[in-house]
């Protein structure tokens, strides 16, 4: 992670200097800020107060400088936000260029955050964009607490869970509510939502609506392949580890994809299955989500519209979820997502799990992995006291606790008990109460 | 707004799989000597467009790369729409405007720099938009659109699609009328027109098109398997199986399509050729009981699938209703010729389009799945041969060479012909006159929304129409900076809205929703919020892509967007 001092002092032309000094340039946005609408909030002061906050005081963070991030930075700069920060750990790839419009072919390989920030400052003089090239987890909670508004345009669920949990914790401990505006797209569809941490429902409240990844049963992959995808999964899940042992599959390495493609094609030929292509192979193993500029434009605009409304009170903000679909004609659905009482991040109640006394601990572990409202992949379990039940790592603890997997729950718990789960997918611990039946 | 199914979040990521265990061999060693299969590794262009090719495939991309788009009204919204079309790679765009760049243009439009203030706006925006994609050609025409419409109307019909962003109401109507008239003639240009209007948080998009064909709607359910009337080879295969002599492995891997086709065939034999009556509980149960009686064990997944899909056995496959493309000529579009041929094709038994050659995945063994897939493919090939014959005859009849339509275009049309949709549009003038739906809704508005909040979107539409009338009368927009008395302008627009409404529904009252809608529209003063511009520009581009690629159902014909409440509603006016 590094914060780069971009933008060497730019020599502004006399025209630009004149433009920056002219009060009429914000004529369009000012109409909305100088006038009250029929649905405008009581607290709206309008006029200078709103303009000053927007254009001088408000400090806003954009998480992600990808498809949504590029659009968000553009919109914020034009709307009048002057103190914008952006964080992204990614570098620019050629497949970004069909939508991430702040990047050019010559930028491939560069930091998305750095290039995007420099571009916006060049195009919209007077705006300050501070880039951070690195992971969101590398910054302390206090960093995130210092912003007035945070907009996330992320494609990663673990990163969203992390920033959501971090902001809810800040809200609960310091009573400092930093609104989180979250956007996501897939193909012609997308959604935008406003999260007021600890006040409204949070990202984790709706984690169970995220469709589980397409999982092909291992027996289909191994024995009865029918689709080209089955052959590709066979090559990546079964063949790769068998041939390469501990060498990790790098889905960004075209040679690795080539190898999978060759193996999958050979298998498909054997079974007379048609349709294995290079692009499909890459799509299956990287789980590629189709993405286009226009959908990102719609969702990013909605996110920035909400940021503008929160910063100026010019209109009530979204309460709290909007989904858009352009797949069949077009429609939007706006509704309030309810808080979940047993949300592990913002709810007060713990998640309850019904378990049979003669289940083994391994069975319980599998049941927990299957739960849509937890979305975990390699959980470790501990008693509420902290004593380990089953740990995935470190190796010594893993070895020591592994025998517990075969034990029956009735041997491990004398009565109903609470179990603490930690998992690489979870940025927090979850306590679940086990009801023995 | 009516309630619809709650959302499933689109983002759906599979955890990265990692290889386990120790000491593997080197990748180069492992790969050497096994590249017997041609790789077709994507080139730079395919990599650039990878994320969109997964939506509209190479056929859609070819259409995009042939599209020429004209923008009239070089404002932030129009340029945002163009940005979203230049990025995926249209062939060409033109911006038509004689205006000079002003400070407030720069402040709202990302594709203008302050240094260009005073220069021609079309030329400057073209420069910055072209940077987005070196494969796209862009040009500026520094002329007055209204004059050009008089002097050279053919200029406009040379484009694939036209976007009119916040142009003056008179120009918008004149342009729409000229395009509509041009498309009247058979074989004449049918150029879709997308009109944008925005004021502060409020926006509207209108689409004028005479006729549009969607050759691939990308439905959620892609497979029409026609198990209700299995084709002869499928029926023969389904009837020839001896379920009882199969071992349990084989029996539990018969594809459900085969099970259902067999059930349908037997049922028909026993019921004088009739399908089970879907309204008759007893018949439906008897049909399912027949399937259940073939089970060997209670946990056979293939039988579960067959029972879940049993409705397909008593739902008759039917031909979509459409208005036929009656006359075709040498000037007709390929799509029209294909639709014409399809109509002839379906006039013969079984009165259905060519069968789809693809199968969904289902519980079965590899061999029985592949065998079933081959049956469907063979049937498609025979259907396709007949269809191709009809297309060739049609081409011959209208004096076109046999290869006038590329073979792969005929094939992809035939593959998707079960899902072909034809839209008949309406003239912009007609939809703006608010006959039809508006009258109906306003007449019944009190009965329709007894307990619910009345919809704001119709009020917003009325407000925008009244504001357009205001502009026709005064030559400026209500709420514009010259307006010193906002309340008075508001009152005038209310009056115009009421007279518009009463011209359609005598005696109708606007109600408080309409007053609020008018107040919000006048507040905006037809100014551009950059966020509203980006939102509308995104929707316009999605619709343009759908129209150009003939994929996905497009908007027909109006959507009203309210970014105060983040909601929208569409209408066919
Ligand atoms: Zn929550």
């Amino acid at each position: 992670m590094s914060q780069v001092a971009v933008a060497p002092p730019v020599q502004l032309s006399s025209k630009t200097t004149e433009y920056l000094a002219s009060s009429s340039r914000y004529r369009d946005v000012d109409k909305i800020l100088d006038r009250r609408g029929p649905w405008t909030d009581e607290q709206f002061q309008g006029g200078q107060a709103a303009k000053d906050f927007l254009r001088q005081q408000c400090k806003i963070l954009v998480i992600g400088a990808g498809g949504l991030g590029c659009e968000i930075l553009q919109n914020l700069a034009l709307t009048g936000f002057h103190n914008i920060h952006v964080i992204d750990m990614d570098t620019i790839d050629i497949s970004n260029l069909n939508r991430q419009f702040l990047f050019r072919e010559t930028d491939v390989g560069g930091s998305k955050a750095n290039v995007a920030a420099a571009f916006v400052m060049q195009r919209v003089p007077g705006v300050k964009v501070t880039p951070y090239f690195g992971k969101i987890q590398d910054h302390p909670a206090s960093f995130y607490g210092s912003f007035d508004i945070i907009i996330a345009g992320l494609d990663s669920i673990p990163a969203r869970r992390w920033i959501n949990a971090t902001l809810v914790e800040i809200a609960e401990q310091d009573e400092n509510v930093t609104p989180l505006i979250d956007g996501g797209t897939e193909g012609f569809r997308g959604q935008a939502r406003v999260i007021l941490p600890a006040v409204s429902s949070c990202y984790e409240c709706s984690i169970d609506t995220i469709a589980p990844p397409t999982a092909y049963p291992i027996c289909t992959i191994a024995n009865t392949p029918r689709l080209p995808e089955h052959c590709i999964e066979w090559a990546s899940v079964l063949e790769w580890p068998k041939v390469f042992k501990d060498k990790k599959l790098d889905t960004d390495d075209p040679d690795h994809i080539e190898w999978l493609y060759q193996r999958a094609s050979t298998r498909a030929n054997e079974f007379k299955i048609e349709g294995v292509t290079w692009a499909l192979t890459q799509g299956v193993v990287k789980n590629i989500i189709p993405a286009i500029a226009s959908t990102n434009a719609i969702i990013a605009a909605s996110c920035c519209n909400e940021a503008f409304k929160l910063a100026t009170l010019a209109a009530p903000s979204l309460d709290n979820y909007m989904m858009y679909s352009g797949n069949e004609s077009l429609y939007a659905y706006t509704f309030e997502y309810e808080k979940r009482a047993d949300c592990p991040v913002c709810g007060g109640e713990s998640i309850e799990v019904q378990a049979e006394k003669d289940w083994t601990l391994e069975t319980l572990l599998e049941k927990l992995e299957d739960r849509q409202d937890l979305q975990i992949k390699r959980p470790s379990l501990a008693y509420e006291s902290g004593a380990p039940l089953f740990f995935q790592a470190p190796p010594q603890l893993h070895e020591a606790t592994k025998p517990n997997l075969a034990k029956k729950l009735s041997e491990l718990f004398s009565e109903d008990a609470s179990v603490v789960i930690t998992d690489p997918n979870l940025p927090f611990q979850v306590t679940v109460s086990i009801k023995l039946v | 707004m009516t309630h619809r199914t709650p959302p499933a979040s689109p983002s759906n990521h599979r955890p990265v799989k990692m290889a386990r265990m120790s000491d593997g061999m080197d990748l180069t060693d492992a790969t050497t000597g096994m590249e017997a299969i041609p790789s077709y590794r994507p080139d730079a262009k395919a990599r650039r467009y990878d994320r969109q090719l997964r939506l509209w495939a190479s056929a859609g991309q070819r259409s995009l790369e042939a599209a020429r788009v004209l923008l009239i009204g070089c404002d932030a919204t129009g340029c945002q729409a163009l940005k979203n079309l230049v990025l995926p790679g249209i062939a060409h765009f033109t911006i038509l405007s004689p205006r000079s760049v002003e400070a407030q243009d720069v402040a709202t439009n990302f594709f203008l720099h302050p240094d260009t203030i005073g220069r021609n706006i079309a030329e400057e925006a073209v420069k910055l938009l072209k940077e987005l994609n070196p494969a796209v050609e862009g040009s500026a025409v520094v002329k007055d659109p209204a004059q050009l419409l008089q002097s050279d109307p053919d200029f406009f019909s040379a484009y694939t699609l036209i976007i009119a962003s916040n142009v003056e109401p008179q120009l918008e109507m004149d342009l729409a009328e000229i395009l509509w008239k041009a498309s009247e003639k058979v074989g004449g240009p049918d150029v879709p027109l997308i009109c944008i209007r925005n004021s502060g948080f409020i926006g509207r998009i209108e689409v004028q098109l005479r006729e549009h064909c969607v050759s691939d709607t990308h439905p959620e359910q892609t497979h029409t398997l026609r198990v209700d009337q299995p084709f002869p080879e499928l029926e023969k295969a389904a009837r020839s199986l001896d379920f009882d002599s199969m071992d349990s492995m084989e029996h539990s891997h018969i594809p459900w399509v085969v099970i259902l086709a067999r059930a349908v065939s037997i049922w028909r034999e026993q019921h004088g050729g009739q399908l089970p009556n879907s309204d008759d509980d007893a018949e439906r149960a008897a049909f399912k009981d027949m399937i259940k009686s073939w089970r060997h064990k209670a946990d056979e997944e293939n039988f579960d699938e067959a029972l879940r899909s049993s409705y397909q056995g008593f739902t008759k496959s039917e031909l979509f209703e459409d208005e036929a493309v009656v006359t075709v000529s040498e000037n007709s579009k390929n799509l029209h010729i294909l639709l014409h041929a399809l109509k002839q094709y379906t006039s013969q038994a079984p009165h259905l389009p060519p069968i789809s050659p693809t199968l969904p995945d289902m519980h079965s063994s590899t061999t029985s799945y592949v065998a079933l897939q081959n049956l469907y493919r063979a049937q498609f090939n025979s259907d396709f041969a007949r269809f191709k014959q009809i297309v060739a005859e049609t081409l011959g009849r209208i004096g076109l060479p046999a290869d006038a339509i590329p073979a792969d275009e005929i094939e992809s049309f035939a593959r998707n012909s079960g899902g072909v949709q034809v839209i008949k549009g309406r003239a912009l003038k007609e939809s703006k006159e608010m006959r039809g739906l508006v009258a109906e809704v306003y007449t019944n508005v009190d009965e329709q929304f007894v307990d619910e909040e009345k919809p704001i979107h119709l009020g917003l539409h009325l407000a925008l129409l009244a504001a357009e009338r205001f502009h026709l009368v005064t030559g400026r927009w209500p709420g514009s900076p010259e307006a010193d008395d906002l309340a008075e302008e508001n009152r005038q627009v209310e009056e115009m809205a009421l007279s518009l409404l009463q011209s359609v529904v005598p005696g109708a009252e606007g109600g408080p929703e309409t007053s609020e809608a008018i107040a919000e529209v006048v507040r905006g003063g037809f100014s551009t919020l950059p966020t509203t511009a980006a939102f509308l520009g995104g929707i316009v581009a999605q619709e343009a892509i759908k129209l150009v690629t003939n994929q996905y159902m497009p908007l027909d014909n109006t959507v009203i967007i309210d970014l105060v409440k983040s909601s929208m509603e569409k209408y066919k006016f």
Side-chain angles (χ1 to χ4, degrees):
Chain A
M1 177 199 77
S2 62
Q3 183 181 338
V4 182
V6 192
V10 186
Q11 194 64 48
L12 295 178
S13 68
S14 60
K15 253 186 181 169
T16 297
T17 314
E18 194 186 319
Y19 163 80
L20 290 174
S22 85
S23 59
S24 72
R25 67 184 166 118
Y26 280 129
R27 198 189 68 181
D28 280 50
V29 176
D30 283 353
K31 250 179 233 176
I32 289 298
L33 294 181
D34 287 333
R35 299 167 176 178
R36 175 180 289 277
W39 303 301
T40 307
D41 196 273
E42 293 283 303
Q43 295 170 40
F44 176 66
Q45 295 175 321
Q48 210 49 47
K51 291 176 202 170
D52 285 349
F53 182 74
L54 175 68
R55 293 169 195 164
Q56 279 158 34
Q57 292 163 38
C58 187
K59 190 177 161 199
I60 188 163
L61 174 67
V62 181
I63 303 182
L68 283 167
C70 286
E71 303 273 352
I72 291 167
L73 290 169
Q74 163 198 255
N75 296 338
L76 291 179
L78 292 175
T79 309
F81 289 90
H82 273 47
N83 187 3
I84 305 168
H85 297 244
V86 59
I87 178 166
D88 197 309
M89 62 183 280
D90 274 350
T91 54
I92 299 158
D93 180 76
I94 188 167
S95 64
N96 302 147
L97 301 182
N98 79 327
R99 61 196 187 284
Q100 302 180 14
F101 66 101
L102 304 178
F103 312 140
R104 304 288 173 262
E105 259 172 65
T106 48
D107 297 321
V108 168
S111 147
K112 288 188 178 181
N114 291 342
V115 175
F119 192 101
V120 172
M121 285 194 284
Q122 185 277 326
R123 182 61 60 84
V124 188
V127 167
K128 189 172 153 230
V129 186
T130 310
Y132 305 86
F133 177 30
K135 283 173 144 174
I136 55 170
Q137 291 89 344
D138 292 343
H139 293 268
S142 59
F143 171 79
Y144 294 99
S146 74
F147 292 97
D148 296 293
I149 300 170
I150 296 178
I151 307 187
L154 287 161
D155 58 4
S156 141
I157 291 169
R160 281 173 160 142
R161 295 177 90 170
W162 187 87
I163 187 66
N164 175 68
T166 303
L167 293 178
V168 171
E169 197 180 313
I170 294 173
E172 282 171 351
Q173 289 182 356
D174 310 340
E175 292 183 17
N176 169 13
V177 175
T178 309
L180 171 65
I181 304 170
D182 179 64
T185 68
E186 174 178 351
F188 284 92
R189 300 185 299 144
Q191 84 282 332
R193 67 192 291 183
V194 175
I195 295 166
L196 300 176
V199 179
S200 71
S201 63
C202 77
Y203 185 72
E204 199 70 27
C205 288
S206 58
I207 199 81
D208 59 339
T209 63
I210 294 168
T214 326
Y216 302 103
I218 206 84
C219 63
T220 299
I221 297 170
N223 306 318
T224 59
R226 297 174 295 269
L227 303 181
E229 287 88 345
H230 296 154
C231 302
I232 296 164
E233 285 281 291
W234 172 84
S236 66
V237 177
L238 300 178
E239 283 300 285
W240 181 277
K242 210 161 95 188
V243 174
F244 296 111
K245 303 293 190 282
D246 66 344
K247 183 204 269 294
K248 279 180 186 171
L249 175 62
D250 176 1
T251 58
D252 287 325
D253 184 335
D255 291 334
H256 289 200
I257 301 290
E258 178 73 39
W259 188 89
L260 296 177
Y261 163 71
Q262 294 289 340
R263 282 295 166 106
S265 299
T266 309
R267 182 168 172 87
N269 288 346
E270 273 166 35
F271 284 94
K272 301 191 167 50
I273 295 167
E274 289 176 24
V276 173
T277 62
W278 213 95
L280 183 70
T281 307
Q282 193 191 30
V284 169
V285 297
K286 287 185 70 151
N287 193 27
I288 291 178
I289 310 284
I292 52 174
S294 41
T295 313
N296 286 330
I298 297 166
I299 297 305
S302 177
C303 291
C304 296
N305 183 47
E306 295 312 321
F308 174 69
K309 294 194 286 189
L310 283 167
T312 63
L313 301 175
S317 64
L318 172 64
D319 185 20
N320 48 32
Y321 201 116
M322 193 262 315
M323 61 169 301
Y324 180 85
S325 172
N327 269 12
E328 193 168 352
S329 186
L330 53 85
Y331 86 94
Y333 177 60
T334 308
F335 67 103
E336 185 188 348
Y337 211 107
E338 306 263 346
K339 248 177 118 113
R340 224 178 79 197
D342 63 354
C343 170
V345 171
C346 76
E349 295 165 20
S350 61
I351 292 180
E352 207 171 274
V353 176
Q354 301 259 343
E356 287 170 28
K357 284 193 180 78
D358 53 1
W359 280 1
T360 60
L361 187 63
E362 186 160 22
T363 307
L364 176 67
L365 206 68
E366 283 165 6
K367 300 277 178 193
L368 292 172
E369 284 173 6
D370 285 346
R371 279 186 76 117
Q372 275 281 100
D373 57 355
L374 286 173
Q375 307 237 355
I376 50 182
K377 55 176 183 179
R378 291 180 66 234
S380 295
L381 304 181
Y383 288 104
E384 210 176 9
S385 63
L389 254 170
F390 170 70
F391 272 41
Q392 306 267 6
Q396 304 89 317
L397 210 48
H398 177 71
E399 286 307 315
T401 55
K402 218 166 112 183
N404 280 346
L405 287 180
K407 289 186 189 159
K408 286 189 175 169
L409 296 185
S410 51
E411 296 172 53
L412 296 165
F413 309 107
S414 52
E415 54 191 352
D416 291 352
S418 286
V419 169
V420 179
I421 306 174
T422 51
D423 186 271
N425 265 4
L426 289 176
F428 44 84
Q429 293 186 346
V430 182
T431 306
V432 298
S433 55
I434 309 288
K435 296 267 173 262
L436 292 176
V437 291
Chain B
M1 184 157 191
T2 48
H3 288 268
R4 299 181 176 93
T5 41
S9 177
S11 312
N12 157 12
H13 277 241
R14 180 203 309 253
V16 180
K17 281 179 290 294
M18 292 189 184
R20 269 161 287 162
M21 295 185 289
S22 54
D23 43 62
M25 71 166 155
D26 185 78
L27 181 73
T28 333
D29 298 342
T31 317
T32 309
M34 62 165 275
E35 294 196 25
I37 295 153
S39 152
Y40 305 113
R41 241 189 237 210
D43 58 13
K45 185 180 162 194
R47 282 188 287 148
R48 184 183 185 109
Y49 293 144
D50 180 83
R51 299 303 186 268
Q52 70 202 42
L53 289 170
R54 292 173 193 276
L55 282 177
W56 51 69
S58 53
Q61 189 63 29
R62 268 203 306 277
S63 304
L64 263 185
E65 288 175 18
R68 301 169 55 83
V69 177
L70 172 66
L71 171 66
I72 309 171
C74 186
D75 68 343
T77 317
C79 288
Q80 285 295 320
L82 277 187
K83 153 182 148 278
N84 302 324
L85 293 172
V86 170
L87 285 164
I90 51 171
H92 170 99
F93 68 98
T94 299
I95 303 181
L96 170 61
S97 178
R99 259 192 345 104
S100 303
V101 180
E102 293 173 36
Q104 57 265 29
D105 296 317
V106 175
T108 52
N109 193 337
F110 197 69
F111 299 96
L112 294 171
H113 192 272
D115 287 349
T116 64
I117 290 173
R119 299 192 207 147
N120 175 261
I121 195 166
E123 284 174 347
E124 296 308 321
V126 165
K127 257 183 237 165
L128 296 189
L129 281 163
K130 259 168 70 172
E131 284 179 2
L132 299 173
N133 190 342
V136 179
E137 193 183 275
S139 68
V141 174
V142 185
K143 284 184 182 161
D144 175 53
Q147 279 172 14
L148 195 59
L149 205 56
Q150 297 291 322
S151 63
D152 184 13
D154 290 345
F155 169 85
F156 297 88
S157 49
Y159 289 91
T160 317
L161 180 128
I162 299 176
I163 299 168
S165 186
N166 292 299
V167 303
E168 296 186 348
Q170 190 60 55
L171 173 62
E172 188 183 77
M173 289 313 303
D174 293 346
L175 174 65
E177 207 164 336
I178 281 184
L179 293 174
W180 188 254
K181 285 218 172 104
S183 64
E184 220 161 34
K185 288 171 250 145
V186 172
D190 187 1
V191 184
L193 171 67
I194 304 183
C195 296
I196 305 166
R197 187 73 65 209
N198 53 261
S199 178
F201 287 114
I202 308 303
R204 183 192 63 198
I205 296 164
E206 296 168 298
V207 181
Q208 171 181 285
L209 47 88
R210 185 174 285 274
E211 187 184 77
H212 177 73
C213 170
V214 189
S215 54
D216 189 352
T217 55
H218 295 265
E220 302 279 316
Q221 173 78 30
T222 49
H223 309 278
T224 44
L225 299 164
R226 288 192 207 155
V227 278
D228 60 307
Q229 38 192 314
F231 51 89
E233 291 304 314
L234 174 61
E235 186 166 16
K236 207 170 105 196
R239 292 299 290 266
S240 68
L241 292 178
D242 183 1
F243 281 17
D244 290 331
S245 71
M246 289 177 179
D247 64 26
S248 66
M249 183 67 187
E250 206 181 343
H251 191 264
S252 63
H253 284 83
I254 311 164
W256 68 260
V257 172
V258 174
I259 299 173
L260 215 53
R262 181 186 177 94
V264 165
S265 170
I266 294 176
W267 181 278
R268 285 200 141 146
E269 206 169 81
Q270 295 168 350
H271 296 81
Q274 296 298 309
L275 286 178
N277 179 353
S278 60
D279 296 327
D280 186 331
D281 291 348
E283 283 206 4
R284 284 205 317 263
F287 183 70
K288 285 189 178 182
D289 284 343
M290 171 160 66
I291 296 172
K292 283 182 198 157
S293 74
W294 297 336
R295 287 190 109 132
H296 285 179
K297 279 189 287 182
D299 63 350
E300 289 173 314
E301 272 183 56
N302 54 337
F303 279 87
D304 292 342
E305 289 180 351
L307 288 164
R308 266 203 303 279
S309 307
S310 61
Y311 68 93
Q312 293 192 32
F314 39 77
T315 314
K316 197 170 179 331
S317 298
E318 272 170 326
L319 188 61
F320 64 97
E321 287 297 322
D322 76 320
E323 296 166 61
V325 181
V326 187
T327 45
V328 284
S329 72
E330 58 193 331
N331 297 323
S332 294
K333 290 179 180 173
N334 289 355
L335 216 47
H336 284 170
I337 298 170
L338 292 170
L339 282 168
H340 185 79
L342 184 62
K343 197 75 190 173
Q344 280 178 282
Y345 179 92
T346 55
S347 67
Q348 293 173 36
H351 306 291
L352 290 169
I355 200 157
S356 161
T358 55
L359 276 187
D361 191 25
M362 59 193 77
H363 187 83
S364 77
S365 64
T366 305
T367 38
S368 38
Y369 183 81
V370 170
L372 181 63
Q373 199 168 48
N374 287 340
L375 283 180
Y376 272 83
R377 279 206 189 124
Q379 184 60 39
F380 170 75
N381 287 338
S382 115
D383 288 0
F384 179 50
R386 181 158 77 87
F387 180 70
K388 231 171 16 184
Q389 182 61 34
I390 294 176
V391 173
E393 285 164 16
T394 310
L395 289 172
R397 196 156 35 76
I398 57 177
L400 287 175
D403 59 356
I405 305 178
D408 60 344
E409 190 175 337
I410 305 178
E411 184 173 340
S412 81
F413 177 87
R415 293 174 80 96
N416 297 312
S417 57
V420 168
Q421 298 270 349
V422 178
I423 294 171
K424 303 276 180 180
R426 211 165 266 158
L428 186 69
K429 184 168 188 290
E430 197 187 325
S431 55
K432 277 203 202 255
E433 279 170 354
M434 318 205 314
R435 312 274 159 214
L437 183 75
V438 176
E440 193 183 303
V441 171
Y442 266 96
T443 312
N444 305 317
V445 73
D446 292 318
E447 294 94 87
Q448 279 186 10
F449 301 95
V450 180
D451 299 319
E452 287 177 63
E453 211 178 306
K454 286 178 193 163
I456 198 67
H457 302 90
L458 274 175
L460 290 169
H461 181 55
L462 197 59
L464 291 170
L465 286 174
E468 283 169 352
R469 182 165 285 196
F470 183 100
H471 192 284
L472 287 169
V473 174
T474 65
R476 60 176 184 84
W477 292 108
S480 58
E482 298 81 11
D484 37 13
D485 191 349
L486 213 57
E488 170 57 18
E489 304 232 318
N490 215 66
R491 198 194 55 76
Q492 289 179 26
V493 178
E494 283 212 33
E495 223 165 65
M496 288 178 177
L498 197 63
S499 96
L500 266 173
L501 182 58
Q502 289 178 345
S503 73
V504 187
V505 190
E509 295 287 336
E513 305 80 34
T514 310
S515 298
E516 285 179 358
I518 289 169
E520 187 64 43
V521 166
V522 173
R523 173 201 191 192
F526 291 78
S527 65
T528 295
L529 281 184
T531 39
T532 305
F535 195 94
L536 296 179
I539 294 180
V540 167
Q542 276 201 355
E543 294 309 315
I545 289 167
K546 292 193 254 175
L547 291 172
V548 166
T549 59
N550 295 96
Q551 294 186 38
Y552 299 92
M553 285 295 279
L555 167 69
D556 176 33
N557 52 22
T558 304
V559 62
I560 315 287
I561 293 142
D562 169 12
L563 289 178
V564 172
K565 299 191 171 67
S566 298
S567 70
M568 66 185 75
E569 201 61 270
K570 60 175 185 283
Y571 302 95
K572 177 149 188 174
F573 287 129

